[in-house]
Amino acid sequence: MKKILIIEDEFHIADGIKLNLELCGYKCFTANTGNDGLKKLNTHKPDLVILDLMLPDKDGVEILKKIRSDDRFFPVLILSARGEVEDRKLGFIFGCDDYMSKPFDLEELELRVKRLLFRYEDSNEHGEFFEFGRNRIDFRKRIAITENQEISLTEQELNILKYLFSNSGKPVTREEILINALGYEVDVQSRTIDNFIVRFRKYFEKNPKKPKFFKSIRSVGYMFDLNE
Ligand code: CA
């Protein structure tokens, strides 16, 4: 079970998030001050931190820096009231993190948590290479080596491939791919994903019309399949 630490001084917000995320199957801890947050970071070893920027005893940015100094990619979701921090500073601080301004939607928070955890886990567990059939994906060099050619892959292509590989043998919907791999909200045209799949089949399948790996699953979406 994934553990989440919520550092937030407003009790009703902290408890609301906790309740909601526990219903989604996460184990949550709350801390209502910055110092308590730092303490619980050590004792509970969470997989993700939800961090309010304005805390009574500490600036949330300080806590973020502490987390970053231990692990540059550790997932942190920042909460802040609109207008608390100037835009320029935000861009600087949040670079690879996610940010939500209050008031926020709990369902959206849950989606963002899921995505941050997925990305982190993925970057840790997927080494540099992934092979299927006669294809090899080199994530570090961002290329695919197929039977006939070498293709440079875009960031979006790499993210979708990673998502499909980590769900291999499991049907996934277009919406799931959009949200988890590309970070889009659901109202984006789902044809976007179809276009990527067409491209992957052209790159990696012997016969793109009869795909062995990038299969269509009727009324669901797609499935990456390793068992031909
Ligand atoms: Ca606060």
Side-chain angles (χ1 to χ4, degrees):
M1 194 188 273
K2 294 282 181 201
K3 291 180 286 181
I4 297 175
L5 174 62
I6 304 153
I7 308 178
E8 161 66 77
D9 60 316
E10 283 167 85
F11 288 89
H12 70 284
I13 296 182
D15 291 343
I17 296 173
K18 180 174 193 278
L19 186 72
N20 203 266
L21 290 178
E22 291 201 327
L23 286 175
C24 302
Y26 299 104
K27 174 84 194 133
C28 296
F29 307 94
T30 56
N32 300 113
T33 63
N35 283 325
D36 191 30
L38 285 175
K39 214 188 293 162
K40 287 186 172 153
L41 202 57
N42 284 326
T43 50
H44 295 306
K45 305 254 175 284
D47 300 289
L48 179 145
V49 169
I50 295 176
L51 176 65
D52 178 32
L53 278 191
M54 293 277 268
L55 295 163
D57 57 336
K58 253 186 174 26
D59 189 340
V61 175
E62 251 179 79
I63 297 176
L64 180 64
K65 280 186 188 153
K66 169 79 187 76
I67 295 174
R68 283 280 162 272
S69 67
D70 294 336
D71 181 346
R72 205 155 66 86
F73 299 108
F74 186 88
V76 180
L77 176 61
I78 307 277
L79 295 179
S80 178
R82 214 176 281 277
E84 244 175 38
V85 189
E86 70 226 63
D87 287 350
R88 224 161 46 88
K89 199 171 161 197
L90 278 180
F92 171 71
I93 297 168
F94 303 128
C96 59
D97 290 294
D98 208 352
Y99 169 74
M100 289 187 85
S101 50
K102 297 177 192 173
F104 52 84
D105 180 52
L106 280 171
E107 221 170 295
E108 191 187 340
L109 178 105
E110 180 209 327
L111 287 175
R112 287 176 188 265
V113 162
K114 205 170 148 194
R115 194 177 81 219
L116 281 171
L117 284 169
F118 162 70
R119 285 197 178 160
Y120 182 68
E121 204 169 284
D122 189 66
S123 63
N124 270 349
E125 283 173 9
H126 267 300
E128 296 161 42
F129 303 112
F130 189 86
E131 289 178 336
F132 58 101
R134 292 179 168 266
N135 307 296
R136 179 186 175 99
I137 311 289
D138 184 332
F139 285 104
R140 186 176 285 177
K141 289 188 185 160
R142 312 159 72 87
I143 54 168
I145 300 147
T146 71
E147 213 166 356
N148 329 304
Q149 55 179 337
E150 193 179 296
I151 307 158
S152 26
L153 298 168
T154 66
E155 179 80 36
Q156 288 189 323
E157 286 172 336
L158 287 163
N159 286 337
I160 295 174
L161 286 173
K162 275 187 202 168
Y163 185 71
L164 291 173
F165 295 161
S166 67
N167 285 286
S168 67
K170 198 177 118 194
V172 287
T173 65
R174 294 171 177 81
E175 286 74 20
E176 283 170 329
I177 303 174
L178 275 169
I179 293 169
N180 295 304
L182 299 183
Y184 287 157
E185 306 302 334
V186 245
D187 56 352
V188 177
Q189 281 265 328
S190 47
R191 281 294 301 176
T192 311
I193 296 302
D194 297 340
N195 294 333
F196 278 105
I197 299 288
V198 168
R199 219 181 302 163
F200 291 155
R201 286 175 178 160
K202 233 183 272 171
Y203 293 164
F204 305 121
E205 300 276 4
K206 217 168 221 165
N207 181 356
K209 291 208 172 99
K210 284 193 180 149
K212 277 182 171 180
F213 302 110
F214 296 89
K215 289 182 175 157
S216 297
I217 305 293
R218 194 187 294 266
S219 79
V220 181
Y222 295 104
M223 181 174 83
F224 177 77
D225 196 357
L226 274 174
N227 318 305
E228 303 169 10

